[in-house]
Amino acid sequence: MAVIDEQVFAALVDSAGADFMPELIDSFLEDAPQGLAALRAALAAGDAVAFRRGAHSLKSNGVTFGAMDFADAARELEHTPLAELGVAAAARVQALDTLFEAVAAALKERRHA
């Protein structure tokens, strides 16, 4: 599966306008690392509410851009209680971070296209 779903991305371009896409992409590329950092902080603090909220935001932003693998991984974190994730939580957040790197690279290519 592609890092970015072309149909979803094309629909976003159609609705937002091609001229606005660089700004949207830049916003996501700035916000997502902050969201991932907040997710790690919530994990370290054992704050299940903040963890779920952070995962939800990352999922929603991923869906918006058609980053479906990233969004699916964030959705799993959102819907799995932190206590249930246990020691696997850190690895799952790291996996989400790795997925974001691929999404960021794909969006940077589109931004400069």
Side-chain angles (χ1 to χ4, degrees):
M1 180 177 201
V3 174
I4 302 292
D5 182 300
E6 294 302 332
Q7 289 181 314
V8 174
F9 192 81
L12 178 61
V13 172
D14 286 346
S15 70
D19 291 346
F20 189 53
M21 286 308 297
E23 189 174 331
L24 277 180
I25 290 170
D26 287 347
S27 179
F28 177 72
L29 294 176
E30 184 177 314
D31 293 346
Q34 293 172 359
L36 287 161
L39 203 59
R40 286 189 290 275
L43 175 59
D47 187 339
V49 172
F51 187 83
R52 187 179 71 246
R53 188 180 307 125
H56 173 80
S57 293
L58 290 165
K59 173 201 69 179
S60 298
N61 289 334
V63 167
T64 296
F65 283 91
M68 305 319 276
D69 289 344
F70 175 80
D72 289 344
R75 181 179 294 111
E76 287 181 25
L77 292 176
E78 176 189 13
H79 292 291
T80 307
L82 191 53
E84 188 178 314
L85 287 169
V87 295
R92 299 271 296 275
V93 171
Q94 181 57 48
L96 186 62
D97 211 349
T98 300
L99 287 168
F100 171 71
E101 290 173 14
V103 170
L107 288 175
K108 286 175 185 173
E109 284 180 19
R110 282 169 173 74
R111 191 201 184 294
H112 298 294

